[in-house]
Amino acid sequence: MAPEHDGLAAEHFQLSGGTDLTPLLEGLHEDACQCPHWGYVIAGEITVQYSDGSREVDEAGDLLYWPPGHTLWVDDDAEFVLFSPHEDHTAVFDHVAAKTDE
């Protein structure tokens, strides 16, 4: 987690190619992240799938908004910054951490 200001946290992510968050989100409502995110893609491409089955690809230079109900994966290395409600995203991180400890 990164610094928090008025309930909003800034986070910098670097994901290696082949990373898929989908299995780590299983068990959350709709098996998806329920935290909204605003951000910017610094490098690479991120595939986002929403609970309704729709998909989008965000690539380097894109500003993004991901509403609640999404998962994501990267085929190649990607780097991005997210701004998220701190408490909501902490709950997702706690869930993911518990899944990785299984």
Side-chain angles (χ1 to χ4, degrees):
M1 278 297 185
E4 177 188 357
H5 179 71
D6 291 334
L8 195 64
E11 304 147 329
H12 176 244
F13 292 92
Q14 292 178 306
L15 299 180
S16 299
T19 299
D20 183 352
L21 297 186
T22 306
L24 297 173
L25 299 174
E26 290 176 358
L28 292 173
H29 178 69
E30 299 180 331
D31 293 329
C33 179
Q34 295 300 317
C35 180
H37 308 286
W38 297 261
Y40 179 76
V41 182
I42 298 167
E45 292 183 348
I46 306 159
T47 302
V48 181
Q49 181 166 310
Y50 296 100
S51 297
D52 68 2
S54 63
R55 288 186 183 177
E56 70 179 65
V57 176
D58 297 307
E59 55 190 29
D62 285 350
L63 293 172
L64 61 88
Y65 170 66
W66 301 332
H70 62 271
T71 187
L72 64 89
W73 60 88
V74 297
D75 294 323
D76 298 310
D77 294 354
E79 181 178 8
F80 55 101
V81 176
L82 294 181
F83 301 92
S84 314
H86 180 72
E87 286 186 28
D88 294 343
H89 211 200
T90 297
V92 175
F93 277 124
D94 290 347
H95 177 84
V96 168
K99 294 285 277 187
T100 58
D101 288 340
E102 292 179 352

